[in-house]
Amino acid sequence: MSAHCQLTSAQPGFGNTISHSHRRTSRRFDPNIQRKRYWLPSEGRYVRLTLSAKAIKTVDSIGIEAAVARIRARGGKV
């Protein structure tokens, strides 16, 4: 699952594009996913996380250690 956030579990939403004539075609609303590398001091290594833009701000707020703890508590691999 490429468009999936490891921290917030944000994933694509689905809906319709509606044209001027009101014809509907299927579309996808993808979250703003970025791959970001963080230094994890407790393990002495870098971790690469797939995060949404909102999750990057969350990591800046709560810290990388707490973010990794949340990911692992959910059962995610870091």
Side-chain angles (χ1 to χ4, degrees), residues 5 16 19-20 22 37 39 50 58 65 77:
C5 177
N16 291 304
S19 69
H20 181 71
H22 218 65
R37 194 174 81 143
W39 173 253
T50 305
T58 302
E65 298 287 345
K77 184 179 174 188

Side-chain angles (χ1 to χ4, degrees), residues 4-9 48-51 71 74 77-78:
H4 182 265
C5 177
Q6 289 180 292
L7 182 61
T8 62
S9 298
R48 189 175 297 275
L49 300 175
T50 305
L51 301 171
I71 292 170
R74 186 178 296 119
K77 184 179 174 188
V78 177

Side-chain angles (χ1 to χ4, degrees), residues 36-66:
K36 189 140 171 67
R37 194 174 81 143
Y38 290 99
W39 173 253
L40 194 59
S42 64
E43 297 181 16
R45 68 182 181 106
Y46 284 99
V47 292
R48 189 175 297 275
L49 300 175
T50 305
L51 301 171
S52 63
K54 180 181 177 182
I56 291 172
K57 294 173 190 173
T58 302
V59 170
D60 291 343
S61 174
I62 67 173
I64 186 62
E65 298 287 345

Side-chain angles (χ1 to χ4, degrees), residues 13-34:
F14 295 90
N16 291 304
T17 298
I18 303 178
S19 69
H20 181 71
S21 65
H22 218 65
R23 173 172 281 212
R24 293 160 192 247
T25 54
S26 185
R27 66 158 293 177
R28 234 171 102 124
F29 295 91
D30 286 328
N32 185 5
I33 297 293
Q34 311 291 326

